[in-house]
Amino acid sequence: MEPVTDDVDEYLRSVARTEEMTALDALISTELPGLSRVLWRGAMWGDTEQTIIGYGRMRQPRPRGADVDWFLIGLAEQSKHLSVYLNAAEEGGYLLKHRADRLGKVKVGAAALTFTKLENLDQTEFRSMIARAGELHPDVE
């Protein structure tokens, strides 16, 4: 995936779930004001084409291969759900894994959170988790 210059707000207006995506965008932007907010496009895991709003830019170490430019938090609309990618670790594991049981009716992978409706996400815990990600990565722009 690569960052592109397309306008994030225009993208949010173009998606099918504009209200939910805009609400999530506002939650993330409120908790981490000042982070860059850029669209990323290209093939994600499994070679699926994605468009992701990336918040904050960082150098992500990879267990195999060279480090890559990446985002701290990513937000994407999928065909049947919404996804949040959180590239923050604490106590030897992804922050999402540590908080999985407090985030509501969601599915949690290593660094991915998915849910079918915004109302299924515990927004108080989500905001707390986003703020903690910012604390763990104060060098992210």
Side-chain angles (χ1 to χ4, degrees):
M1 295 197 80
E2 298 290 332
V4 297
T5 59
D6 298 6
D7 183 79
V8 174
D9 293 318
E10 187 174 308
Y11 169 73
L12 285 168
R13 287 188 295 272
S14 74
V15 297
R17 298 169 76 164
T18 297
E19 277 188 45
E20 290 174 300
M21 288 285 287
T22 301
L24 284 164
D25 174 68
L27 284 174
I28 295 166
S29 296
T30 298
E31 288 304 321
L32 297 175
L35 280 189
S36 62
R37 184 172 159 259
V38 176
L39 282 180
W40 291 67
R41 286 210 169 100
M44 188 75 153
W45 307 296
D47 291 327
T48 59
E49 286 295 316
Q50 298 277 331
T51 299
I52 298 174
I53 303 170
Y55 303 84
R57 193 155 183 167
M58 60 190 280
R59 194 81 180 144
Q60 177 79 20
R62 294 290 186 205
R64 294 176 296 279
D67 294 352
V68 296
D69 286 330
W70 206 231
F71 43 80
L72 176 60
I73 301 166
L75 172 61
E77 178 187 58
Q78 312 297 345
S79 61
K80 296 182 181 179
H81 60 270
L82 300 169
S83 295
V84 175
Y85 305 100
L86 185 60
N87 298 299
E90 182 173 48
E91 299 173 7
Y94 280 106
L95 190 57
L96 270 172
K97 285 287 197 181
H98 293 301
R99 298 193 180 209
D101 62 336
R102 296 182 266 168
L103 290 166
K105 188 178 174 184
V106 300
K107 291 183 183 177
V108 175
L113 167 70
T114 62
F115 44 96
T116 55
K117 297 182 280 190
L118 183 56
E119 65 193 39
N120 291 344
L121 177 67
D122 183 315
Q123 293 179 31
T124 301
E125 184 61 33
F126 180 75
R127 285 193 306 272
S128 172
M129 183 180 65
I130 295 300
R132 181 66 182 144
E135 292 168 2
L136 291 168
H137 295 278
D139 55 333
V140 173
E141 303 172 348

